[in-house]
Amino acid sequence: MNRMNTLVDEESNDNESIDFADSFESSDFATAWGYGSKSYSGSFFQRTLDDFKRDPNRTLLTKDVTQNRRVFDAEGAAQATADSPLVRKLKGRHLQMIAIGGSIGTGLFVSSGRALAYGGPASVLIAFSLIGVMLYCTVHALGEMAVAFPVAGSFSAYSTRFLDPAWGFAMGWNYAMQWLVVLPIEIIGASITIDYWGSTVSNAVWVSIFLVAIISINLFGVKGYGEAEFIFAIVKVIAVTGFILIGIILNIGGGPNGSYLGGRYWSDPGAFHNGFKGLCSVFVTAAFAFGGTELVGLAAAETANPRKSLPTAVKQVFWRITLFYVISLSLVGLLVPYNDPHLLGSSSSDTHASPFVIAIANAGIQVLPSVMNCVIMISVLSVGNSAIYGSSRTIAALAEQKQAPRIFAYIDRQGRPLVAITFASSLGFLAFLAATSKQVEVFTWLLAISGLSSILTWGSICLAHIRFRAAWRYQDHRLDELAFRSQPGVIGSWIGLTINVLILLAQFWTGFDPVGYGNLTVRQKTQNFFEAYLAAPIVITFYTCYKFWYHTPFMKVDKMDLKTGMREMNLPEMIAEERAEKASWPKWKRTYKFLC
């Protein structure tokens, strides 16, 4: 029998969820910290060790979702994700900062230099804007499903429920692998940036420092992740806002050099580099830079009140796309020519700087480039933190559905998927390759896995939303029964899916026929193709093998489960209360709440 999660009315300050209150207060973890009636005996060290033990009040998978070796039980899988033992400790302010700046890292600050060098400023602006439009539609679609079904695994679980269990398996591992490689990517990116200062310290030392910091944060549980992201995001928001203001001043001639730039670099060396093919080559880098925008949906399973927090976080994604990507990179294109020898991916061997740092340094400002590099260091911690969080939660959800080794579903007394966190952290040691002479090549290969993976994930979210709406209508549900509806609706999901498909086709073309194709050897052509399209054959292999082994069905609208894991809400009463509250707001607040 399906169990429904109960939505508890909460105050506007987003008090802690009481979804797990009864089991929490009776658990050993609660009593160890003074919440319950029992108490541990022994030293503080012993109590700390006990926190890493499995919580008997948080049982894992109780039903074998594969029933037998060759049949997949979709209902059992849905129940497993709905009954996830993860604790709900993220508050509204955590989700908002995760949405605004949670994944801004080397994709924006460092890898954008590669995009500028390959495609030119106009290509960067077009590619990032196009992906921004797609992500606006995608995140709204995800928000609608996540508010209705705040289950573990989020979008991979939605693919299993609304598309095909085999595709959900492939998307789950695709997303997990994406974040597993992002951690070493971010740390390798940090080592590249540190080299800007001409550091004589081995890169292995910096890798060790970052790894210890990132792993330590995740061992504090989801609350530690949320608080760290809140602080990191504030720093990044201030930094990018400051860069935009400084960039405008520098462009109009207000810098130490006193030189007016305007659109000079759009004329010489030009707005585009390598033509249409240069534009297409920018998309994977842009997708990597936007990766993590969907984390707000994954965090829904650990959010105290997703009904109130998620819609606000989803709306703020628009401002993140506009302010932090489109405007900041437009200024980078005005301040840095695409043939600058310092850009990552240019012909020069000097690849140790971010285009944001170059823009400030070219203006003759002495101190701010180092300040910007420090911000990049903080960004590395932030995205590395998100990498362990995203991969560990996805792998744990796969394990709960019997789509990963069951040991990964181990949840300790603090609600941490401990084994999954340990596995994700261990992949961070790949970053020690940054101490070798092949750090740029390693960065490129890891980026290839991550970039295309994001596009596949986003396309799956849009398609799952389209199928969800079809099933919702077929099973005689009304749209006003949904607690939150996507602003662009199903049309937006079709737009998002179409853009994702076009990007995949463009990437296939540039991978098969890259810039300078005639000058490449057969080995270089093969290498270039897999650098651009590596994620696609991996996903196809995962899907076909799972499909063949379990004979999973394509989910039909009449067979889709729209009950398991859905939060029970008295929507008419809630909507009436919200409308009464909104009627008392001044006009400025109504406008603000509509936009944010």
Side-chain angles (χ1 to χ4, degrees):
M1 182 176 182
N2 295 332
R3 293 192 296 174
M4 309 287 284
N5 293 325
T6 302
L7 179 66
V8 181
D9 292 334
E10 299 180 353
E11 298 297 328
S12 60
N13 62 354
D14 268 347
N15 290 329
E16 296 293 331
S17 173
I18 61 173
D19 288 354
F20 292 95
D22 294 338
S23 61
F24 177 78
E25 290 178 359
S26 63
S27 69
D28 290 336
F29 166 67
T31 57
W33 294 94
Y35 291 99
S37 58
K38 292 172 59 180
S39 62
Y40 279 117
S41 60
S43 64
F44 173 80
F45 179 72
Q46 182 61 46
R47 295 197 302 271
T48 302
L49 288 179
D50 288 340
D51 286 338
F52 289 93
K53 295 180 179 178
R54 189 193 301 273
D55 189 342
N57 293 297
R58 295 192 179 110
T59 57
L60 295 173
L61 191 61
T62 57
K63 183 177 181 180
D64 187 350
V65 299
T66 54
Q67 286 188 339
N68 61 61
R69 204 174 71 161
R70 303 298 295 272
V71 179
F72 184 87
D73 179 16
E75 181 181 352
Q79 190 68 60
T81 55
D83 295 339
S84 173
L86 298 172
V87 295
R88 297 182 181 272
K89 288 190 175 182
L90 288 179
K91 297 183 180 181
R93 61 183 178 88
H94 297 141
L95 270 193
Q96 290 172 30
M97 296 312 291
I98 290 171
I100 292 174
S103 63
I104 295 176
T106 54
L108 175 64
F109 290 130
V110 180
S111 300
S112 56
R114 176 189 177 93
L116 182 60
Y118 270 73
S123 293
V124 170
L125 184 59
I126 292 171
F128 275 78
S129 297
L130 190 62
I131 290 187
V133 170
M134 176 269 293
L135 270 178
Y136 173 77
C137 299
T138 301
V139 174
H140 270 267
L142 176 60
E144 179 179 305
M145 293 186 291
V147 170
F149 303 96
V151 298
S154 189
F155 25 85
S156 65
Y158 301 147
S159 293
T160 296
R161 185 180 293 201
F162 302 132
L163 299 177
D164 181 348
W167 189 248
F169 169 78
M171 283 298 98
W173 277 108
N174 168 70
Y175 192 71
M177 286 190 296
Q178 171 190 335
W179 280 117
L180 288 173
V181 301
V182 160
L183 179 56
I185 281 177
E186 292 299 314
I187 298 176
I188 290 173
S191 70
I192 294 174
T193 306
I194 287 176
D195 287 342
Y196 174 80
W197 287 306
S199 173
T200 58
V201 178
S202 171
N203 282 337
V205 175
W206 298 111
V207 168
S208 300
I209 293 172
F210 283 116
L211 269 178
V212 170
I214 292 170
I215 294 172
S216 298
I217 290 171
N218 276 271
L219 288 179
F220 281 99
V222 67
K223 190 68 176 291
Y225 163 74
E227 294 296 348
E229 283 305 299
F230 183 77
I231 296 171
F232 291 152
I234 289 176
V235 173
K236 289 186 286 186
V237 167
I238 294 173
V240 176
T241 304
F243 173 81
I244 291 173
L245 296 176
I246 293 173
I248 294 173
I249 294 172
L250 295 178
N251 184 257
I252 62 177
N257 293 339
S259 174
Y260 174 78
L261 293 176
R264 179 188 305 173
Y265 295 139
W266 281 59
S267 299
D268 182 20
F272 292 94
H273 189 210
N274 299 316
F276 182 68
K277 193 173 292 184
L279 168 63
C280 293
S281 67
V282 172
F283 280 116
V284 160
T285 302
F288 171 69
F290 276 111
T293 306
E294 70 289 333
L295 271 174
V296 291
L298 189 66
E302 296 177 86
T303 301
N305 188 355
R307 167 68 182 91
K308 296 178 97 174
S309 304
L310 267 176
T312 300
V314 164
K315 292 176 184 177
Q316 289 176 345
V317 167
F318 170 79
W319 299 107
R320 170 189 165 187
I321 292 169
T322 303
L323 183 63
F324 300 139
Y325 289 92
V326 177
I327 295 179
S328 64
L329 288 174
S330 296
L331 287 168
V332 165
L334 292 173
L335 298 172
V336 182
Y338 68 70
N339 59 358
D340 190 296
H342 295 90
L343 287 174
L344 183 67
S346 66
S347 58
S348 171
S349 61
D350 180 11
T351 59
H352 307 317
S354 155
F356 287 77
V357 175
I358 295 171
I360 299 172
N362 287 351
I365 301 176
Q366 300 300 318
V367 179
L368 286 183
S370 293
V371 173
M372 199 67 198
N373 262 10
C374 290
V375 172
I376 294 174
M377 298 302 100
I378 294 174
S379 300
V380 166
L381 283 173
S382 174
V383 182
N385 187 31
S386 297
I388 294 180
Y389 176 82
S391 58
S392 63
R393 268 56 180 185
T394 302
I395 292 174
L398 288 169
E400 289 176 358
Q401 300 174 81
K402 205 69 178 294
Q403 293 178 328
R406 190 161 182 173
I407 187 63
F408 287 126
Y410 181 99
I411 307 291
D412 70 4
R413 287 171 174 168
Q414 291 198 41
R416 298 170 298 196
L418 200 58
V419 177
I421 289 175
T422 302
F423 175 70
S425 300
S426 67
L427 269 291
F429 288 93
L430 286 174
F432 281 103
L433 293 171
T436 71
S437 60
K438 299 293 184 180
Q439 63 176 3
V440 175
E441 287 84 351
V442 173
F443 186 91
T444 301
W445 279 105
L446 293 177
L447 177 62
I449 296 175
S450 178
L452 206 60
S453 296
S454 297
I455 297 171
L456 292 168
T457 296
W458 299 331
S460 296
I461 292 172
C462 292
L463 183 57
H465 180 246
I466 292 169
R467 296 295 296 158
F468 161 69
R469 280 289 192 94
W472 191 259
R473 183 176 61 254
Y474 182 87
Q475 297 184 26
D476 296 324
H477 291 285
R478 303 185 311 275
L479 289 181
D480 57 14
E481 294 178 45
L482 294 171
F484 171 71
R485 278 180 283 175
S486 165
Q487 288 182 346
V490 177
I491 294 177
S493 294
W494 278 110
I495 292 173
L497 179 61
T498 301
I499 293 176
N500 276 292
V501 171
L502 292 176
I503 292 173
L504 288 173
L505 293 175
Q507 274 309 118
F508 182 85
W509 176 50
T510 56
F512 182 77
D513 186 17
V515 175
Y517 178 84
N519 299 323
L520 300 178
T521 64
V522 174
R523 179 180 178 181
Q524 289 173 326
K525 293 173 183 177
T526 304
Q527 178 177 331
N528 184 84
F529 175 79
F530 283 104
E531 284 181 359
Y533 229 72
L534 185 59
I538 294 175
V539 168
I540 292 172
T541 301
F542 273 62
Y543 173 73
T544 53
C545 291
Y546 198 87
K547 184 81 173 176
F548 172 78
W549 185 256
Y550 288 114
H551 304 288
T552 59
F554 296 104
M555 303 306 295
K556 298 180 180 179
V557 291
D558 59 328
K559 301 295 184 181
M560 292 182 191
D561 183 358
L562 300 181
K563 295 181 179 180
T564 304
M566 188 172 185
R567 288 200 150 193
E568 189 176 343
M569 305 177 189
N570 188 350
L571 279 180
E573 182 178 340
M574 290 175 61
I575 293 173
E577 291 177 357
E578 288 180 358
R579 286 176 177 172
E581 182 183 2
K582 290 178 181 179
S584 64
W585 290 347
K587 187 175 181 180
W588 68 267
K589 188 172 183 179
R590 288 198 298 269
T591 304
Y592 172 79
K593 287 294 185 179
F594 175 78
L595 297 175
C596 301

